[in-house]
């Protein structure tokens, strides 16, 4: 014979909120770690792309029969790519102390034809050593090749594209770097005969 009962009600709202908050923080930490790892992988890849022309140029600079014009060209390649590597290291240091995980853009008036030519010359020794032809078709008018952009970022993109083209194009193949302009804007096209 039951004469009474006891009902206990417990408010779990605070516990739920605390658990939800911890889960949310854990998910944010995982996302931040993934973003950081992606960024670090990207920087490592870009550093490798900047160091490859330096290594190739250093080997060629060691040849005793090098004429002054080639020596000057190779020295320019080393200087430009060392500056690009330095900029990447600066980005890495900035990223490690920044709270917003953003990189700065340094906009300036840039002659893209000149920048493209410099990038092509930086990769040319690797392409030639691999038996790959490198062609530069600057079809856009000179007046339209001067644009407001970050030359370091554009160089990173171009060196990455050209480096991959050299890497994945077999001997006897070719790489073409081309500029055009139209009503839509200025275009840069990198194409190759590789996979």
């Amino acid at each position: 014979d039951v004469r009474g009962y006891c009902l206990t009600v417990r408010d779990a709202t605070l516990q739920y909120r605390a658990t939800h908050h911890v889960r949310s923080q854990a998910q944010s930490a995982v996302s931040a770690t993934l973003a950081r790892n992606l960024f670090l992988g990207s920087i490592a890849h870009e550093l490798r792309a900047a160091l490859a022309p330096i290594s190739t140029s250093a080997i060629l600079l060691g040849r005793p029969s090098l004429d002054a014009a080639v020596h000057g060209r190779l020295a320019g390649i080393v200087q430009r790519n060392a500056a690009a590597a330095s900029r990447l290291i600066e980005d890495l240091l900035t990223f490690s102390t920044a709270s917003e995980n953003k990189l700065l853009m340094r906009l300036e008036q840039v002659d893209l034809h000149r920048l493209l030519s410099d990038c092509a010359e930086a990769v040319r020794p690797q392409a030639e050593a691999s038996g790959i032809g490198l062609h530069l078709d600057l079809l856009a008018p000179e007046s339209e090749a001067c644009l407001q952009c970050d030359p370091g970022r554009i160089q990173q993109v171009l060196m990455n594209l050209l480096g991959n083209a050299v890497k994945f194009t077999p001997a006897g193949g070719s790489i073409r770097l081309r500029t055009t302009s139209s009503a839509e804007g200025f275009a840069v096209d990198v194409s190759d005969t590789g996979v």
Side-chain angles (χ1 to χ4, degrees), residues 111-123:
D111 179 353
L112 283 181
H113 280 174
R114 168 78 189 237
L115 184 62
L116 292 169
S117 296
D118 290 346
C119 289
E121 288 308 308
V123 197

Side-chain angles (χ1 to χ4, degrees), residues 105-172:
M105 298 293 282
R106 295 181 185 104
L107 300 179
E108 58 185 81
Q109 196 69 17
V110 176
D111 179 353
L112 283 181
H113 280 174
R114 168 78 189 237
L115 184 62
L116 292 169
S117 296
D118 290 346
C119 289
E121 288 308 308
V123 197
R124 191 173 300 283
Q126 290 172 279
E128 289 174 354
S130 299
I132 300 168
L134 179 60
H135 310 283
L136 193 59
D137 298 327
L138 305 177
L139 305 177
E142 286 295 323
S143 59
E144 295 181 26
C146 290
L147 300 170
Q148 190 81 0
C149 64
D150 184 327
R153 301 288 176 221
I154 299 296
Q155 181 180 355
Q156 283 176 348
V157 171
L158 289 169
M159 291 302 292
N160 198 351
L161 290 171
L162 290 169
N164 284 338
V166 169
K167 188 176 182 180
F168 296 109
T169 300

Side-chain angles (χ1 to χ4, degrees), residues 11-39:
D11 186 356
T13 304
L14 293 177
Q15 183 182 1
Y16 172 78
R17 285 182 183 162
T19 304
H20 180 70
H21 181 68
V22 169
R23 279 192 201 127
S24 178
Q25 285 182 323
Q27 185 59 39
S28 293
V30 167
S31 295
T33 300
L34 290 174
R36 186 186 72 232
N37 290 345
L38 182 63
F39 176 78

